[in-house]
């Protein structure tokens, strides 16, 4: 990816990801394959990551379709 998202200073740290949970269901979040969103399978919501900062507000989240949930692999380890 080209632009600000490619900046290593804006990468989400894996240790941080392990501490984050969905604000609605309090379940673990998975990193999307393109690393631009955190996915809550239980809530069927995708939370954006902007410049390395996850926006875990329900106002910022988008609803995801069941077929998108299937595309999410197991939670990041």
């Amino acid at each position: 990816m080209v632009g600000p998202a490619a900046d290593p200073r804006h990468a989400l740290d894996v240790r941080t990801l392990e501490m984050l949970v969905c604000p609605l269901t309090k379940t673990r979040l998975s990193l999307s394959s393109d690393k631009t969103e955190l996915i809550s399978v239980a809530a069927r919501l995708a939370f954006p990551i902007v410049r390395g900062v996850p926006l875990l507000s329900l106002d910022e989240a988008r609803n995801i379709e069941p077929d998108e949930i299937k595309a999410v692999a197991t939670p990041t380890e």
Side-chain angles (χ1 to χ4, degrees):
M1 183 178 277
V2 178
D7 189 332
R9 294 175 298 170
H10 300 151
L12 182 64
D13 182 49
V14 176
R15 292 172 295 188
T16 301
L17 177 59
E18 292 172 355
M19 293 185 285
L20 298 176
V21 295
C22 173
L24 183 64
T25 64
K26 308 301 186 234
T27 56
R28 191 168 187 172
L29 297 166
S30 298
L31 190 58
S32 65
S33 59
D34 62 2
K35 299 182 181 179
T36 62
E37 296 178 310
L38 291 176
I39 308 294
S40 171
V41 174
R44 293 187 178 167
L45 293 173
F47 298 93
I49 300 171
V50 178
R51 298 183 71 179
V53 178
L55 303 179
L56 298 179
S57 165
L58 296 177
D59 292 334
E60 297 291 333
R62 69 175 181 88
N63 292 318
I64 54 177
E65 300 297 323
D67 58 327
E68 283 185 272
I69 292 173
K70 292 176 187 175
V72 177
T74 58
T76 305
E77 296 180 20

